[in-house]
Amino acid sequence: MKRTLAIFIAVIMLIGCISTGAVSAASNPTFKVNGTAYTAKAGAVVTYTVNMTTPEKIENGQFIIYYPSSVFTVAEVNFDKDFLGSPIVNYSEGVSGEIDFNFSNYEGFDFTKKHKLVEVKFTVTGSGSGDISVSDKAGEVVVCNLNDEEITDKIKLEETVSGASKVSNKKANTLTVKAAKKAVKAAKLKKKNQTIKKAFTVSKPKGAVSVTKVKKGTTSNIYKKVTVKKNGSITIKKGKYAKKTYKVVIKVTAKGNTDYKSKSVTKTVKITVK
């Protein structure tokens, strides 16, 4: 890229054959940004922002942003406030649209601290799927320093999305919990704490497991007197208890991981004091 690269100030919007009809909830389009899947409803405005950090001041550069034109139309393009003039912006038709722009300033632009390079507001006007991306193909992203030396491989680009929901491809957690019916003698409870083993069993959790007691549903006069542990045991503090059946409601949560969603199961353990 030469020093003579001009600052073009132009915005050209070509109107493609994209339907502006509503997209039903069942056919909400999906798109990916940097490997993360998103979805948005018809008429929604999705904001795609590219932030840039460079190791030194830059003189000129060029970028191409690709987007699925079957899903979006471009509503607005905003560039970094420090640009002296808007770079040239061209919109092209086709299955995948593109936004091409370049910039130049002999005095340089300071991106040594991360800030916005460009912000594109898309309106969801169609269905289908595709990717939004800043092309990393050779020659399609070029950044030069004040000596007109290319430093593309030293820059850092960060993409963000707002106005859309992330799509989870995680599988359902296989956590299962089984509550038991247990008994304890009143005479023993009167003398010391009693730990009831295998009051409940936890099977096939995906991710870290936590167990808590739930006040609602638990027999009120023992809620503060019981301790639950993820190994399935319940400890009852010593004291005088009426001979009857008590309910202890537990909530078991498996946090999940990169492949599985989180899941919570609530069960009631019945403990009879004899």
Side-chain angles (χ1 to χ4, degrees):
M1 187 173 294
K2 306 295 183 182
R3 275 187 176 276
T4 55
L5 180 67
I7 302 177
F8 294 93
I9 306 175
V11 178
I12 306 172
M13 289 188 168
L14 302 182
I15 302 175
C17 299
I18 300 173
S19 171
T20 57
V23 180
S24 68
S27 60
N28 286 344
T30 60
F31 62 97
K32 287 185 177 180
V33 174
N34 200 21
T36 300
Y38 297 86
T39 186
K41 295 181 179 180
V45 176
V46 175
T47 302
Y48 169 74
T49 303
V50 179
N51 298 302
M52 183 170 71
T53 308
T54 61
E56 55 188 298
K57 283 187 176 182
I58 57 175
E59 175 189 323
N60 53 58
Q62 64 184 43
F63 290 83
I64 297 179
I65 293 176
Y66 289 99
Y67 66 94
S69 58
S70 62
V71 176
F72 298 114
T73 55
V74 177
E76 187 177 326
V77 180
N78 299 309
F79 298 97
D80 179 78
K81 60 182 177 60
D82 293 330
F83 282 127
L84 296 181
S86 299
I88 187 168
V89 181
N90 296 312
Y91 300 90
S92 62
E93 300 179 59
V95 175
S96 292
E98 63 182 61
I99 302 172
D100 308 328
F101 66 95
N102 55 51
F103 55 86
S104 178
N105 179 8
Y106 296 149
E107 295 181 1
F109 300 106
D110 189 355
F111 279 80
T112 55
K113 292 184 179 179
K114 181 185 76 174
H115 58 266
K116 181 177 70 180
L117 173 67
V118 62
E119 175 189 84
V120 184
K121 292 184 181 295
F122 295 104
T123 302
V124 178
T125 54
S127 60
S129 62
D131 294 351
I132 304 177
S133 66
V134 176
S135 175
D136 57 3
K137 296 178 182 179
E140 293 190 349
V141 170
V142 176
V143 176
C144 297
N145 63 15
L146 289 174
N147 294 321
D148 204 29
E149 299 168 334
E150 187 176 334
I151 58 169
T152 308
D153 60 345
K154 297 178 181 179
I155 70 172
K156 180 180 179 182
L157 298 178
E158 178 186 83
E159 302 162 273
T160 63
V161 175
S162 63
S165 302
K166 286 185 179 180
V167 177
S168 175
N169 294 318
K170 292 184 178 182
K171 293 178 282 188
N173 204 299
T174 53
L175 168 72
T176 59
V177 181
K178 185 177 180 179
K181 294 180 180 180
K182 293 290 184 175
V184 63
K185 291 184 178 181
K188 289 185 176 181
L189 273 172
K190 193 173 182 180
K191 294 179 181 180
K192 63 178 182 179
N193 296 348
Q194 294 296 308
T195 296
I196 302 170
K197 296 180 179 180
K198 296 183 180 179
F200 59 93
T201 55
V202 178
S203 304
K204 300 179 180 179
K206 298 297 182 182
V209 174
S210 62
V211 179
T212 58
K213 57 185 178 181
V214 180
K215 190 170 185 179
K216 186 177 181 180
T218 297
T219 305
S220 60
N221 61 342
I222 68 162
Y223 174 74
K224 294 182 179 181
K225 298 177 181 179
V226 295
T227 302
V228 298
K229 293 185 178 180
K230 61 184 179 183
N231 64 2
S233 68
I234 294 179
T235 299
I236 307 176
K237 290 183 179 181
K238 71 175 183 178
K240 187 176 180 180
Y241 292 85
K243 292 182 179 182
K244 65 176 186 177
T245 298
Y246 297 84
K247 294 179 180 180
V248 178
V249 181
I250 59 165
K251 181 179 180 181
V252 181
T253 300
K255 189 176 181 180
N257 51 36
T258 55
D259 298 315
Y260 290 87
K261 300 176 183 179
S262 64
K263 180 181 179 180
S264 294
V265 176
T266 301
K267 291 288 184 178
T268 300
V269 178
K270 294 181 180 180
I271 303 173
T272 300
V273 177
K274 296 182 178 181

